[in-house]
Structures are given as C-alpha cells and as structure tokens.
Amino acid sequence: MTKQAVPETPASTSAKILYRPFGIASSVVGGLVASAIFKQVYKRVTKNSGADAPGPLQSEYLLRQVLVAAAIQGVIYAVVKASIDRAGARTFQKWTGEWPGS
C-alpha cells in the first residue's frame, strides 16, 4: 500500500518568513552531507582512495571523466537536498502546524 500525498494548504507569509532561516541552515547541512557522500562514492567508483574528483578546468583528465564525475555529483546533491528539504519542511510543519511551501 503506498502513501498518498496530502494536498497542503498554502503557507502563510509568516510561515514562509519563519522557515527561511531554517531552510538556509538545512541547505548548508545538505551541501556538506552531499559533498561527503560524493567524495566517498567517487573514491569507490574510481578505486583510488587518494584522488579528488576532476574539475572542468583540469586538463589532465578526459572530458568523459569530468562529465561522469559531474553527473554523479549532481545526482547525489539533488537527492540529498530534496531529502533534507523535505524532512525540514515536515519538521517545521510538526512544530508550527503549517507547511512552509507554496
């Protein structure tokens, strides 16, 4: 049995304002978590424990390597950010009774 999404009532202006610092803090934490996860995944994918992911301006890497690293990083960042944003919004709703979104 799947859980159905419950339509939320539009957030009040005060809820949006109160959520803003909470959202910013959770975004920072999400970025740090995503970065740590990406570094571990990249080390395992490349089987090189000391290598950092290639940047777009590093000419010693093939374009394919740069693009694969960027794709992996993008997916990890998006999933972690969405997870943390959603959890933060649910926590805010539990504390205040209002959903902080639109």
Side-chain angles (χ1 to χ4, degrees), residues 8-77:
E8 302 293 340
T9 57
S12 67
T13 304
S14 61
K16 288 181 182 181
I17 291 170
L18 288 173
Y19 181 73
R20 190 166 293 175
F22 189 76
I24 290 170
S26 67
S27 290
V28 169
V29 170
L32 295 172
V33 170
S35 177
I37 292 171
F38 171 68
K39 286 178 183 177
Q40 292 303 312
V41 168
Y42 189 78
K43 283 180 189 178
R44 284 176 176 76
V45 167
T46 61
K47 298 178 177 128
N48 187 349
S49 62
D52 288 335
L57 300 178
Q58 292 178 297
S59 62
E60 63 269 20
Y61 294 99
L62 298 173
L63 176 61
R64 179 183 46 173
Q65 291 173 302
V66 172
L67 295 180
V68 168
I72 293 169
Q73 186 176 27
V75 167
I76 290 171
Y77 178 78

Side-chain angles (χ1 to χ4, degrees), residues 6-20 22-23 26 84-94 96-102:
V6 178
E8 302 293 340
T9 57
S12 67
T13 304
S14 61
K16 288 181 182 181
I17 291 170
L18 288 173
Y19 181 73
R20 190 166 293 175
F22 189 76
S26 67
I84 288 178
D85 285 350
R86 187 66 174 209
R90 289 206 182 276
T91 301
F92 183 84
Q93 183 184 32
K94 285 180 185 178
T96 66
E98 287 195 63
W99 186 257
S102 53

